[in-house]
Amino acid sequence: MNDFNVLVLGGDHIGPEVATAGVQVLKHTANYANINVTLEEGLIGGASWNKHGTYCTDDVLRKVSKANATLVGAVGGPEWDDK
C-alpha cells in the first residue's frame, strides 16, 4: 500500500466547503485505489490573517514542504484587500 501525506488548506469564504468536498473525493478515491492518505490541516488566506496576522505562517510553509500534496481551497475577499 502506498502512503501519502496531504496538507489541506481550506482558505476562506467558500474555500473550506470546497476543500471539504475535495477531501471526500480524495478519501473515496484513495480507498478504491488502496492508497493510505494521511490528512493534515492548516490555515491560509483570510482565515490565517484573521488568526495570525499573516496570510501564510512559517509553520504552514514547513508543512507544505513535507507534504506529498497540498489541497487548497479558495482564498481572498474584499475585507482583506487593504491588508
Side-chain angles (χ1 to χ4, degrees), residues 9-75:
L9 303 173
D12 46 58
H13 289 286
I14 197 166
E17 293 173 31
V18 173
T20 297
V23 166
Q24 290 174 339
V25 171
L26 174 63
K27 286 179 177 180
H28 178 78
T29 304
N31 184 52
Y32 180 80
N34 199 32
I35 297 171
N36 184 39
V37 176
T38 302
L39 301 172
E40 188 170 6
E41 294 184 1
L43 297 176
I44 196 167
S48 179
W49 180 269
N50 290 347
K51 184 168 184 176
H52 302 292
T54 184
Y55 289 111
C56 185
T57 64
D58 290 340
D59 183 53
V60 167
L61 291 175
R62 278 190 291 280
K63 290 177 181 181
V64 167
S65 69
K66 293 179 182 179
N68 297 110
T70 304
L71 175 66
V72 181
V75 297

